[in-house]
Amino acid sequence: MGVVVRNIERPDLAVVAALGECGVATVHEAQGRTGLLATYMRPIYAGARLAAPAVTVSLPAGDNWMIHVAVELLQAGDILVVAPTSPSTDGYFGELLATSLQSRNVVGLVIDAGVRDVRELTEMEFPVWSKAVSAQGTVKETIGSVNVPVVCAGASVNPGDVVVADDDGVCVVRREAAADVLDKARDRVAKEDETRKRLAAGEIGLDIYGMRERLAAKGLKYV
Amino acid sequence: MGVVVRNIERPDLAVVAALGECGVATVHEAQGRTGLLATYMRPIYAGARLAAPAVTVSLPAGDNWMIHVAVELLQAGDILVVAPTSPSTDGYFGELLATSLQSRNVVGLVIDAGVRDVRELTEMEFPVWSKAVSAQGTVKETIGSVNVPVVCAGASVNPGDVVVADDDGVCVVRREAAADVLDKARDRVAKEDETRKRLAAGEIGLDIYGMRERLAAKGLKYV
Amino acid sequence: MGVVVRNIERPDLAVVAALGECGVATVHEAQGRTGLLATYMRPIYAGARLAAPAVTVSLPAGDNWMIHVAVELLQAGDILVVAPTSPSTDGYFGELLATSLQSRNVVGLVIDAGVRDVRELTEMEFPVWSKAVSAQGTVKETIGSVNVPVVCAGASVNPGDVVVADDDGVCVVRREAAADVLDKARDRVAKEDETRKRLAAGEIGLDIYGMRERLAAKGLKYV
Amino acid sequence: MGVVVRNIERPDLAVVAALGECGVATVHEAQGRTGLLATYMRPIYAGARLAAPAVTVSLPAGDNWMIHVAVELLQAGDILVVAPTSPSTDGYFGELLATSLQSRNVVGLVIDAGVRDVRELTEMEFPVWSKAVSAQGTVKETIGSVNVPVVCAGASVNPGDVVVADDDGVCVVRREAAADVLDKARDRVAKEDETRKRLAAGEIGLDIYGMRERLAAKGLKYV
Amino acid sequence: MGVVVRNIERPDLAVVAALGECGVATVHEAQGRTGLLATYMRPIYAGARLAAPAVTVSLPAGDNWMIHVAVELLQAGDILVVAPTSPSTDGYFGELLATSLQSRNVVGLVIDAGVRDVRELTEMEFPVWSKAVSAQGTVKETIGSVNVPVVCAGASVNPGDVVVADDDGVCVVRREAAADVLDKARDRVAKEDETRKRLAAGEIGLDIYGMRERLAAKGLKYV
Amino acid sequence: MGVVVRNIERPDLAVVAALGECGVATVHEAQGRTGLLATYMRPIYAGARLAAPAVTVSLPAGDNWMIHVAVELLQAGDILVVAPTSPSTDGYFGELLATSLQSRNVVGLVIDAGVRDVRELTEMEFPVWSKAVSAQGTVKETIGSVNVPVVCAGASVNPGDVVVADDDGVCVVRREAAADVLDKARDRVAKEDETRKRLAAGEIGLDIYGMRERLAAKGLKYV
């Protein structure tokens, strides 16, 4: 506790951008169905879709001091990931902090707690994935840490990991694995494009994936 | 378990369509306040409103194989109703399956679990009522059943029952009762049209419904 | 139980209107972080923002009779606050009651339970903050009270208190404190306007608020 | 609504008793993993274990009138199954009703809502499986039904079905299937007795069930 | 915020003790079904049963400083009532604080948050009704208030109010109403004693309460 | 996915045992309030208290195959830690598996899901901390991993980490930090023993911890 890591390694930004285009569901599948944050993490408005390197914050319930500490460590293109050390729905973040982050070209926030000023954040097009919306303010009394490994909404996030987020939720990709996951995600996209055409033309999964025999072997009975 | 019923009886489609126009709240009242699914079943986008005969699927947690089995049993105008046998928020369904269903003119999905690709589903105008949004994929290992009676989000649904769904949630009407419920729903709509006019003109329910005497009898005191 | 208070004191309507412009987060901070309703109270559509004097209703689970009783006690500009005496998600309120309230220029509803006809309420632009959306109707059998103090979604509300509500949730301000809270809220707005400019220009909170020294004193370490 | 079925068919009581000895987990497995009530249904005290034919009650939220109606329809050895038509945690049942049921040798209660007087119920050894404990009383104003099919805690229960309940929860077995399920449950018990001995002696499941080859085929890697 | 009221009026202790003997369910009924705390407030061990005047504490999430402030204001026979200003499950209280309170003959704790050291508290026979059990500690940085009105678990509690608690939960009785509520509770106990005898002897509620006619009038049908 | 690590480093067992004696609350404080699992993790029976090295299992929802794989990797004194990759309340574990583990002197189970046979597990004195109790069985179809880092109930657990568990919940201590955390925990125990005596003798925290001045500086007012 009480440690701020100034410099972190960030992933290749071209890889990051490409992961964002693949989207959460595809990336999550591509890395073996790991890294998904809990489904209670919802966007405050629909339509945002991004990927970015994580700057992580660990802080106590009801205290947002460390978010202020994190601001100057955030670079253009980063996303802020905030994890309280015990469950909280308080509003740790609002349009003033968003103004500050947007002036630094930070692209968004993922927080396992609440946010406020959601109308203003929506107008500013500053995307947030959060557990709650709450006007409840927080104090600035107790220190935490910045850029340490955290568990956020049930997923382990290291500083510099790639956070992919869209209307389906949030997924984290280890920095070291990003390029490899992207390759697999692209394969998946290509394969799905193919499948989509066949499905749209009226073929069905049972035939495309050759499932009938295995179903019969499992004992499925048609009556 | 492991049974697929190929042929089900479907209700009169004119009745089905008319129930959809009445909407969930009216239909639910008209059949004696029965058949409503749990309130956690929410539409992935606002504004969809429909009624359709149910094709039902019972499947295990984290396994969507039986949805693939159900596809060829779904006819134009049907809705797919999916009920896992234990609680799950996984994403059993996404835009590939929706593409397949839409190519068959299936009108929507009700699932007591999660869905993914909600942005794409919204763009496709494929309506879904679900318990969760989740990118978490599922396996294809264990068989279940299609077109058997299921309990979905706390309501009992038989294959061929009418599912009515809109922004208020989801309600199920027994196939055999559909025509009768429609009659009652229409009566209700007519009566409400009348009442709405009087309320809009400034009359109030206490007088329209003649409640003052009964309230006094119950001991209500004005001070 | 069973008491209806006809006449309540209402706050200065200019003060009420001005509180509405400040918004929930600001008002909540201005009165010392008190009076916020639970975060499960969400608007049925985004964008509504208002303040209004509360007419309060206490009623049993699954019974909306007292809402009908409250109608004639609601004046133009009021908001209806409904608190069941035990937890409920039933739909106590729909477009008929909204029609009645809108004909009296009542501005909205806050209910620690469910509402229905949300599509119609949205089209009517009748804002509601509720715990749930549910088509489940209620009976009219048991009396409760109107314009008595209630606890609604974890906050104590007296008749005539100011309810402030927007996309961040709902906050209640004691009638007697309204003018004082408004003063503090306006100070806060002014101060935040100033801070916003500095943040937008690239200054950061650590410097604006002079936090670096206190953080060091607490033992924060940069590595 | 508003229907009381006086006479129901009950299952063979020897079969019922034998199912109770098998316990919930075994019976649930034996009938293909169906019929389990939601896991929020918990016993008010540990150690009760029983099976009994269900007398079912469907009633509104916050109203326990129909439980009084059901009393005279309950026979020695029966269990009462209560399902509100919308979610409720109210205390529908306490020691007075338990006294009445115990005088008729009714063996317990399963209720998808709350109970009260849990200390007295425990002293009386009247077992209850419920969603909540709550002192909140209910009214007697609105009728429902007795001995109709209900959905209780996510499971469909018909009057006369066998309810099996113990510290693991509650499971329902169709009356018509009871004897067949008992056969399968007994097979299971016998097989498990055998397996238990081997496991206690230090053999492990991987070998007993011959899983190693199939795991290797699935690609499991040891490092 | 930041106010400590040293002296509060306490109710007649004979009345308080007598309310404790009546128990939560009876007292709650006797005062018109008001004052019950949320059903998530559960005892950390079964069997405790008490009534006591409340010393109230309002404090921030994750900060138990004000509990220390309250200690010297608690008198023999009091109960401590703690309400965070936003939802929290942290462990605000453990055996050290309980030792301190027990040395002052304080009789228990009601907290809308978490406690820890539940094994030790159980051994000490220091009863606690709480929302959670959690080892998560709290800080001592931000002030709150003592002996101000609070909302605790959905119920309004004033300092000096009578808190009644047992295995059914927690109920609060206004200090001024305590004697009157006791009278009504005793009437109820007497009446229930009478009813219990009749029920135990085999009479049923339908007859004792004379419900058959009213049920028929409501349209209940026996088939 | 699909990786089983046969050999893991285990911590010094004397240190492990000593941590178990300190208990969860003390250990959690001693390591800076980190490592606590979510408060929904509850013991299936009261009174168990232990510490043990973790053997970790990552597996899919509704599939307990990997628990069988883990059995032969568990040594005397170990604890099994099971984390599904998406939320589940199914019963992955019962008395047969417990028999197998107990024959190997494994000391317990921590599972972010459900268990069954809780009566038998209690009789066997095989302690379990779980999210749910559920008779719902699981399949054996899809592989996962053993002895990889997992997130269990919101806490990151590595194989060989020390799991401390008692009636307050579950806390994880990094293997490398165990000796250091034990030193701090013992300091804490000693200090608390001292404080307990003073509190029992009637001194209060405000004086022992010297808080009065700081409270006054924060603006606390006594009235």
Side-chain angles (χ1 to χ4, degrees), chain A residues 31-56:
Chain A
Q31 69 176 344
R33 295 185 182 161
T34 60
L36 193 68
L37 276 66
T39 61
Y40 60 66
M41 296 297 286
R42 299 300 302 143
I44 57 167
Y45 59 86
R49 183 166 202 160
L50 59 81
V55 165
T56 62

Side-chain angles (χ1 to χ4, degrees), chain B residues 146-223:
Chain B
V146 178
N147 280 331
V148 295
V150 297
V151 174
C152 183
S156 158
V157 185
N158 297 323
D161 281 350
V162 185
V163 170
V164 188
D166 61 22
D167 292 346
D168 284 349
V170 184
C171 183
V172 60
V173 179
R174 293 279 166 265
R175 185 180 53 79
E176 308 78 18
D180 180 50
V181 171
L182 177 58
D183 284 348
K184 287 179 182 149
R186 279 175 167 161
D187 283 358
R188 206 175 158 85
V189 167
K191 220 174 286 174
E192 287 186 358
D193 285 346
E194 197 59 35
T195 306
R196 190 179 301 105
K197 276 178 215 155
R198 295 175 67 182
L199 292 170
E203 282 189 84
I204 68 173
L206 281 191
D207 299 317
I208 295 177
Y209 308 122
M211 291 168 170
R212 291 189 194 273
E213 223 167 273
R214 218 175 124 239
L215 284 164
K218 290 267 183 178
L220 191 67
K221 284 192 190 93
Y222 286 81
V223 296

Side-chain angles (χ1 to χ4, degrees), chain F residues 8-26:
Chain F
I8 60 172
E9 284 195 71
R10 286 179 173 76
D12 180 333
L13 292 187
V15 169
V16 171
L19 284 168
E21 278 160 38
C22 294
V24 171
T26 297

